[in-house]
Amino acid sequence: DLVRRIHREGRTVILATHDVDLALGLAERVCVLRRGRLVADIAGVNLSATTPERLASIVAGARHPL
């Protein structure tokens, strides 16, 4: 798909989505914004350990340490 091809070319991709499966499947880093404020910044090992259900709960309003 286009986003994966662009990423393989070494380009940075910024994608805004509410699809947690898509985000977890593509991203090296996920930032969650709520009302214009950063409420979660998840990358690396923490992102690998994040389940779709956990990410959905953060998007829906659950607290997450930055």
Side-chain angles (χ1 to χ4, degrees), residues 34 39-40 42 54 57-66:
R34 190 172 307 114
V39 296
I42 311 166
R54 177 66 181 138
S57 72
I58 295 167
V59 170
R63 291 195 174 268
H64 179 78
L66 293 175

Side-chain angles (χ1 to χ4, degrees), residues 17-64:
T17 184
H18 285 98
D19 184 332
V20 296
D21 292 314
L22 177 65
L24 290 173
L26 292 176
E28 294 176 5
R29 179 179 184 179
V30 172
C31 295
V32 178
L33 302 175
R34 190 172 307 114
R35 296 182 178 169
R37 295 181 187 249
L38 182 67
V39 296
D41 185 350
I42 311 166
V45 174
N46 291 329
L47 185 59
S48 299
T50 301
T51 64
E53 295 79 16
R54 177 66 181 138
L55 183 55
S57 72
I58 295 167
V59 170
R63 291 195 174 268
H64 179 78

Side-chain angles (χ1 to χ4, degrees), residues 5-27:
R5 182 174 56 80
I6 292 170
H7 182 263
R8 278 194 307 271
E9 292 172 358
R11 298 182 190 176
T12 297
V13 177
I14 297 173
L15 175 70
T17 184
H18 285 98
D19 184 332
V20 296
D21 292 314
L22 177 65
L24 290 173
L26 292 176

